Amino acid sequence: MLILLPPSEGKATEGSGPPLGELSFPKLGRARGRVLTALIRASKRRDAPQVLGLTPGLAGEAAKNTVLRTAPTLPAAELYTGVLYDNLALNTLDDAARARAEESVLIFSGLWGVLRVTDRVPPYRLSMAVSLPPLGGLASFWRPHLAKELDRVPGLVVDLRSSTYAGAWQPGDRSVSVRVFRDGKVVSHMAKATRGEIARVLLQQEEAPFTPGELAKALDNLGYQVELIEPVRVARPWILDVHLTDAR
């Protein structure tokens, strides 16, 4: 089983480990280098906040991007601090669940393409939604590189990414895209929290689901109200709608 996660805007402010070294999926190294070089150049521009789509409160973060090659690092498991990751709470998993996370969780990134939770990187600012000169849209840039690496990784894919990051790799009909609703509507904060909860409970299960049906049954047994929808056409993902009730 693979569990696909987006990154979070909330991040740790600094690392304490050595500068960048080799990351998982090393064949992505050249593509990562191209994005890193483009990001450093863009972050030195006067209009860097506009180019990188940074809000006024984050405009100062562009300067940190310029020293990413030498900045201290920390594991991806500790870097991301948003609502989804607060509810996933990787640092509180037991040893067995943590080992599953290290094997199963893939975190998508505009800068690095994809990371495992053990990969050490410095704090950075770059959304997959950015059109980064001269590379263009990052989802489009990463798509062929990620497909070449990830298409060969076997297993059911539980897709908990936002739409921005889902565009960087489409696993096809072995994938289940999870949507979260309350009263028939998507509530962003609640959806992120629930995706984090779902990732956590799946990692705590000794037996991983092998099919979309087994995934739906597992979540149903854990008290989630779910509806599994078959792919609308070939090579498209299954959809698993999670309907939140007052009990959750």
Side-chain angles (χ1 to χ4, degrees):
M1 178 181 63
L2 295 178
I3 298 176
L4 311 186
L5 301 181
S8 63
E9 186 172 291
K11 294 182 180 69
T13 56
E14 59 185 359
S16 58
L20 277 169
E22 187 170 86
L23 303 175
S24 58
F25 302 103
K27 291 182 180 180
L28 295 175
R30 185 175 179 183
R32 286 167 172 154
R34 291 178 63 192
V35 180
L36 180 56
T37 297
L39 175 60
I40 290 171
R41 290 175 179 170
S43 298
K44 292 178 179 178
R45 294 170 47 158
R46 289 185 178 181
D47 62 346
Q50 290 74 39
V51 173
L52 300 179
L54 300 177
T55 62
L58 294 175
E61 296 289 296
K64 294 182 180 180
N65 285 340
T66 65
V67 294
L68 288 175
R69 294 190 191 278
T70 57
T73 62
L74 71 168
E78 300 173 17
L79 173 63
Y80 300 107
T81 61
V83 173
L84 187 155
Y85 290 89
D86 288 345
N87 283 270
L88 173 53
L90 283 165
N91 63 338
T92 67
L93 292 172
D94 62 31
D95 290 346
R98 178 62 183 236
R100 295 184 198 107
E102 292 176 1
E103 181 179 352
S104 299
V105 172
L106 298 180
I107 302 171
F108 282 69
S109 164
L111 175 51
W112 312 112
V114 67
L115 297 169
R116 293 195 183 273
V117 298
T118 52
D119 283 328
R120 299 188 66 96
V121 294
Y124 66 95
R125 290 291 172 182
L126 183 63
S127 169
M128 189 72 81
V130 168
S131 181
L132 185 65
L135 303 179
L138 289 173
S140 296
F141 171 83
W142 279 115
R143 195 173 299 126
H145 301 289
L146 293 176
K148 190 174 181 179
E149 288 302 297
L150 299 181
D151 284 354
R152 68 182 72 181
V153 182
L156 176 71
V157 176
V158 182
D159 193 348
L160 301 172
R161 298 173 295 174
S162 58
S163 58
T164 300
Y165 290 87
W169 181 50
Q170 294 292 335
D173 58 9
R174 66 176 174 128
S175 172
V176 182
S177 182
V178 178
R179 305 187 301 190
V180 181
F181 298 90
R182 181 180 284 279
D183 298 326
K185 300 178 181 179
V186 175
V187 182
S188 179
H189 181 91
M190 190 65 68
K192 292 176 182 177
T194 302
R195 289 188 181 109
E197 287 180 5
I198 289 172
R200 183 179 178 86
V201 298
L202 290 176
L203 292 171
Q204 290 174 320
Q205 304 301 301
E206 293 185 6
E207 296 294 332
F210 286 95
T211 67
E214 288 182 7
L215 173 64
K217 184 177 180 180
L219 293 181
D220 181 71
N221 290 342
L222 290 165
Y224 292 90
Q225 184 178 329
V226 300
E227 177 186 7
L228 184 63
I229 303 169
E230 293 187 10
V232 295
R233 57 182 183 272
V234 175
R236 296 296 295 169
W238 292 71
I239 303 294
L240 185 66
D241 286 345
V242 178
H243 300 278
L244 302 181
T245 64
D246 291 339
R248 283 195 174 272

